[in-house]
Amino acid sequence: QVYKGLDIITNKVSPQEQRLCRHHMISFVDPLVSNYTVVDFRDKAVPLISYIFARDKIPIVVGGTNYYIESLLWKVLINTKEKPSSAPRPDSDKKVELEQLDSAELHRRLSQVDPEMAAKLHPHDKRKVARSLQVFEETGIPHSEILHQQQEEEGGGPLGGPLKYPHSCILWLHADQAALDARLEKRVDDMVAAGLLEELRDFHRRYNQEKVAENRQDYQHGIFQSIGFKEFHEYLVSEGNCSPKTSALLLEKGIQALKQVTKRYARRQNKWVRNRFLKRPGPNVPPVYGLEVSDLQRWEEDVLKPALEIVESFIQGREPPAEPLRMEHDEKENKRSRRVCELCDRLILGDREWAAHTRSKSHLHHLKKRRKLEESGHAGGTVGDSGDAETSDEDGSLPL
């Protein structure tokens, strides 16, 4: 929402609602800026929060990109410039330059300058590996060392530095998955009815058509990584160059893809809240109050009334009537464990990711295929040389 334009696809608050309460951090970045980062966001938002506090007002940070909210709550980001700027940098970004390199080469370079960080990051996670390299190249200090410094500060923890605003309160609006999915599908339909295609068509014509013609479109940086743009890429580039029937099929394909990716993103948002807020290790975690929004007919009773009671109690220094949510953090879980699934030829980082991988369809498919081969090998061994069958079974055993 920081970018100018694409108001429908980014679900910006309406001008009418903006007139009811002062809004900040909306529509101020040029869409052609591709290197605007969460650091730029934080460096502009923090002075605004201080300005609001100075006027005896309470800043309300509205999601949902939870990574950006986390950057405001905790000291978790690293400045790689001597003088942080509130405006995005016009020059080419070092991280973007690094991302042009091969994943293996990036990981090799990081292993040379920061082996601890290289061991924590997946070799194929190009963006994180490039970021760690950028930190080292622009500060001269290994990324892992800076993270250790943050964690060792008073109030710091395994996920970063201390809480920047100790008297914070988080309201988490959550819904039953079926109700949420239905609402998100309707939202996409409403966006199309509100003129989504005209907005995308105009934006494509003004900003992306030339890049597509030169085959240098980039859906990994800037506003072009917004949900909804790349889903309609085929429709936009083929419009006018294919039959009406084909165009209609591509349009429907884009709409369905937008619905799917929106629902997937909502699931990731909920997962982030659970893992980074409710299960966050360490003492400095703001209270998180859950508000059930599955039934919009009960908005007043289930959301508005309890939210006002919580906030009023919070302002007055009283204990809110509601209990904050908290999930137990598994002290034994190792988020940086490294396992190689030889069956799938994949490197898996983290205990939870390994457990999920061993239950995944692709892994179970390979496992089933493997067992069939083993069974056929055993069957062949009963007719031929039994020693060969035993050797085959022994050599093929895998740590699953």
Side-chain angles (χ1 to χ4, degrees):
Q1 296 193 355
V2 300
Y3 295 98
K4 299 172 187 174
L6 288 183
D7 293 353
I8 298 173
I9 198 67
T10 56
N11 284 284
K12 286 178 184 164
V13 62
S14 68
Q16 292 81 6
E17 287 182 279
Q18 288 193 44
R19 284 194 286 270
L20 297 174
C21 178
R22 176 76 184 276
H23 286 65
H24 303 270
M25 304 295 287
I26 295 177
S27 298
F28 65 95
V29 178
D30 189 301
L32 293 182
V33 171
S34 63
N35 60 352
Y36 185 83
T37 69
V38 65
V39 175
D40 296 312
F41 173 85
R42 181 206 59 188
D43 289 348
K44 185 174 177 66
V46 167
L48 281 170
I49 290 173
S50 299
Y51 167 69
I52 294 169
F53 276 137
R55 293 187 293 119
D56 291 328
K57 302 290 184 182
I58 295 178
I60 303 172
V61 182
V62 183
T65 309
N66 298 312
Y67 178 47
Y68 279 57
I69 296 176
E70 186 175 351
S71 76
L72 300 180
L73 286 173
W74 288 279
K75 185 176 179 181
V76 292
L77 298 179
I78 298 168
N79 278 333
T80 57
K81 302 294 182 184
E82 289 184 7
K83 295 181 180 180
S85 170
S86 61
R89 297 174 293 278
D91 301 325
S92 62
D93 191 275
K94 182 66 177 176
K95 181 167 171 279
V96 176
E97 290 178 20
L98 288 168
E99 286 177 10
Q100 306 306 313
L101 298 174
D102 176 75
S103 297
E105 172 62 17
L106 275 175
H107 200 262
R108 185 189 66 80
R109 289 192 187 187
L110 184 61
S111 299
Q112 292 177 337
V113 298
D114 192 351
E116 181 181 342
M117 206 65 201
K120 292 179 178 180
L121 298 178
H122 197 289
H124 293 165
D125 196 342
K126 183 181 278 191
R127 297 187 75 165
K128 287 186 179 179
V129 174
R131 172 59 180 163
S132 285
L133 262 178
Q134 178 197 15
V135 169
F136 175 77
E137 293 189 7
E138 294 184 352
T139 66
I141 305 171
H143 192 180
S144 57
E145 186 176 326
I146 297 176
L147 292 179
H148 285 312
Q149 291 172 1
Q150 286 184 348
Q151 294 163 3
E152 288 167 4
E153 289 183 38
E154 186 178 352
L159 296 182
L163 194 64
K164 288 192 284 191
Y165 304 102
H167 305 292
S168 302
C169 171
I170 298 174
L171 302 178
W172 179 33
L173 278 63
H174 58 88
D176 173 76
Q177 194 62 57
L180 180 59
D181 286 348
R183 199 173 300 163
L184 292 174
E185 291 210 4
K186 182 181 182 301
R187 188 174 80 174
V188 172
D189 292 334
D190 292 344
M191 289 160 64
V192 173
L196 171 64
L197 297 178
E198 289 75 13
E199 179 181 85
L200 288 174
R201 195 177 289 120
D202 176 64
F203 198 84
H204 172 69
R205 191 181 303 116
R206 287 190 291 134
Y207 295 106
N208 205 38
Q209 201 165 38
E210 184 181 331
K211 291 184 176 182
V212 170
E214 298 173 2
N215 196 29
R216 58 182 180 89
Q217 68 273 14
D218 178 11
Y219 292 118
Q220 301 301 317
H221 298 94
I223 197 169
F224 294 101
Q225 65 185 320
S226 301
I227 288 177
F229 204 88
K230 54 185 171 292
E231 284 72 28
F232 288 94
H233 175 79
E234 278 189 90
Y235 171 75
L236 293 171
V237 299
S238 65
E239 194 175 23
N241 300 318
C242 62
S243 68
K245 182 179 179 181
T246 301
S247 186
L249 288 172
L250 290 174
L251 173 58
E252 182 59 25
K253 179 182 176 183
I255 292 173
Q256 293 305 317
L258 178 56
K259 289 180 178 180
Q260 288 299 319
V261 76
T262 302
K263 289 186 284 188
R264 202 177 303 133
Y265 182 64
R267 284 173 169 79
R268 287 206 306 271
Q269 285 180 314
N270 286 332
K271 184 179 178 182
W272 185 285
V273 171
R274 292 188 185 96
N275 292 337
R276 305 288 290 194
F277 292 99
L278 299 181
K279 293 184 180 180
R280 193 180 187 94
N284 284 345
V285 182
V288 180
Y289 296 94
L291 299 169
E292 173 66 51
V293 295
S294 296
D295 185 359
L296 293 181
Q297 300 298 319
R298 293 184 52 82
W299 175 266
E300 297 277 338
E301 304 97 312
D302 294 347
V303 184
L304 184 58
K305 185 181 176 183
L308 290 175
E309 289 176 349
I310 291 168
V311 173
E312 284 177 5
S313 301
F314 171 71
I315 292 172
Q316 295 167 7
R318 296 185 286 107
E319 282 293 320
E323 283 290 320
L325 301 172
R326 192 78 173 132
M327 297 175 72
E328 288 298 318
H329 170 67
D330 186 356
E331 297 290 344
K332 296 179 181 178
E333 181 188 351
N334 184 354
K335 293 187 177 182
R336 298 301 183 186
S337 63
R338 296 170 68 89
R339 295 183 181 90
V340 176
C341 179
E342 298 177 13
L343 197 63
C344 304
D345 192 25
R346 286 187 59 190
L347 170 65
I348 310 295
L349 298 184
D351 291 349
R352 192 178 307 167
E353 285 72 15
W354 176 253
H357 173 72
T358 56
R359 295 191 302 266
S360 67
K361 288 182 178 179
S362 61
H363 179 79
L364 294 175
H365 169 74
H366 284 104
L367 188 60
K368 185 177 179 181
K369 190 175 176 181
R370 171 60 186 272
R371 283 173 178 164
K372 283 184 177 180
L373 287 172
E374 289 178 346
E375 287 170 4
S376 63
H378 281 303
T382 59
V383 178
D385 185 349
S386 59
D388 288 342
E390 288 177 2
T391 305
S392 172
D393 182 54
E394 219 173 55
D395 291 344
S397 61
L398 295 167
L400 301 177

